[in-house]
Amino acid sequence: MKVDLPVPAVALAVAAHPDDVEFNAGATLAKWADAGCVVHHLICTDGSKGTWDVHADTVALVARRENEQRAAAHRLGARGEVRFLRQVDGELGTDLALRSEVARIIRELRPAVVLGHDPWRRWRLHPDHRAAGFLTLDAVVAARDPHFFRDHGTEHHRPDAVLLFETEEPDLVEWVDETHVEAKIEALLAHESQFETTMVIDADDDGTQRAAFAAKIRRECVDDGRRAGVPLGEPFKLVEP
C-alpha cells in the first residue's frame, strides 16, 4: 500500500452531490490546502433530492446546499473555486455535452490531481455516484488529448494522477493528522441540510448526536489509516493517466 502522493500544486475534486467530497476526501484536501495546494470543487448535481421532507421547497434547498458546499470548502481551507454543473439530482448523465463541460473545467483549472468517485464499486445504489465517476474519468481523457473538443479554445491538460474514492480496492492512503480530521468533521457539519438524511443528527440535538457523528468519522480514519500502517488516513485507488 502506497502512502501519500507529493502534495499537488492544484487539485480538483469532482463529486456527485454537495457533501460527497468532504465525506470521502475532506481530510486529504485539508492537508493539501494546509501545505499550499489550491483545492477546487466541482459538484455535478443540484442536491435537490437531499431531504426526506415531502413538502420541502426544493428551489430553496438547492440554494442552501450550494451555500453549504462553499462553507464546507472554506472550512477545509480550500482557496480554489467551487463550481456547480447543476444537473438534476438523481438524473446525472455521462453524455458528450457534459463530458465536454467537465473537460473544459479541467483544462481551465489545470489540476495536477483529480479526485472522483470510483464508478466500478460493486452494488452501488446511487446512480449519480456511478455517473459522476465515469464522467470524471471520461473528462480526464478528453482534457488531456488535444483533438478532443477543440472548440474549447483552451490548451489541453494532462493531470499527473487521478484518485478514486469510495473504492473497494485502495492502493494509496493519504496520511492525515488530527487537525485535518477535525477540519473534515467541521466541513461535514457545514452541510446542515443533510443532518437528518446522512449524519443521524436531529434538529433539536443537544450535541450528543454531533459528537457521535464526529466519533464515527474519527474511527473511519483510524481504520483507513491502519490499511497502510499509519495512525489516520483516507483511502484511494490511484490511477496515473
Side-chain angles (χ1 to χ4, degrees):
M1 182 78 67
K2 182 179 177 66
V3 177
D4 288 354
L5 289 182
V7 175
V10 181
L12 171 64
V14 184
H17 310 97
D19 79 15
D20 288 338
V21 169
E22 286 70 43
F23 268 113
N24 295 294
T28 296
L29 295 177
K31 179 181 79 168
W32 288 354
D34 192 40
C37 176
V38 177
V39 173
H40 300 287
H41 287 64
L42 175 60
I43 310 303
C44 295
T45 75
D46 61 9
S48 57
K49 305 292 196 304
T51 178
W52 292 337
D53 179 1
V54 296
H55 304 295
D57 179 345
T58 56
V59 174
L61 177 62
V62 168
R64 181 180 182 185
R65 296 203 71 184
E66 289 194 3
N67 287 334
E68 289 172 347
Q69 182 60 74
R70 294 185 186 96
H74 178 75
R75 292 185 184 187
L76 292 179
R79 297 181 289 111
E81 298 182 31
V82 180
R83 296 198 187 187
F84 302 93
L85 291 184
R86 297 189 173 98
Q87 298 298 295
V88 176
D89 194 348
E91 301 178 21
L92 182 64
T94 59
D95 59 42
L96 281 174
L98 279 175
R99 187 190 309 181
S100 172
E101 182 59 25
V102 178
R104 183 197 302 273
I105 291 168
I106 292 171
R107 287 171 170 176
E108 290 173 353
L109 299 179
R110 311 190 75 74
V113 176
V114 174
L115 303 93
H117 299 270
D118 184 344
W120 294 289
R121 179 169 178 163
R122 292 171 295 176
W123 307 301
R124 181 191 296 281
L125 284 177
H126 206 302
D128 287 342
H129 287 218
R130 293 194 302 270
F134 283 121
L135 182 60
T136 301
L137 293 168
D138 293 350
V140 165
V141 172
R144 75 185 185 184
D145 294 332
H147 297 289
F148 282 89
F149 305 119
R150 298 179 71 175
D151 59 304
H152 286 175
T154 304
E155 186 178 357
H156 61 283
H157 174 70
R158 179 185 292 264
D160 297 327
V162 175
L163 294 185
L164 299 179
F165 47 70
E166 295 184 311
T167 184
E168 292 179 308
E169 298 186 9
D171 53 11
L172 171 79
V173 167
E174 282 291 328
W175 183 357
V176 298
D177 66 21
E178 294 281 356
T179 301
H180 306 130
V181 175
E182 290 305 311
K184 172 181 178 132
I185 292 167
E186 289 303 310
L188 283 164
L189 292 175
H191 295 279
E192 293 184 4
S193 66
Q194 304 307 291
F195 278 7
E196 179 184 23
T197 57
T198 61
M199 303 184 199
V200 196
I201 300 173
D202 296 330
D204 59 355
D205 173 45
D206 62 1
T208 303
Q209 291 170 325
R210 283 179 176 83
F213 174 73
K216 174 179 177 290
I217 296 299
R218 293 188 190 96
R219 285 195 304 273
E220 290 174 352
C221 290
V222 169
D223 292 342
D224 290 331
R226 190 175 292 127
R227 299 169 184 261
V230 299
L232 297 163
E234 286 182 326
F236 302 94
K237 179 68 178 178
L238 172 63
V239 181
E240 297 175 292

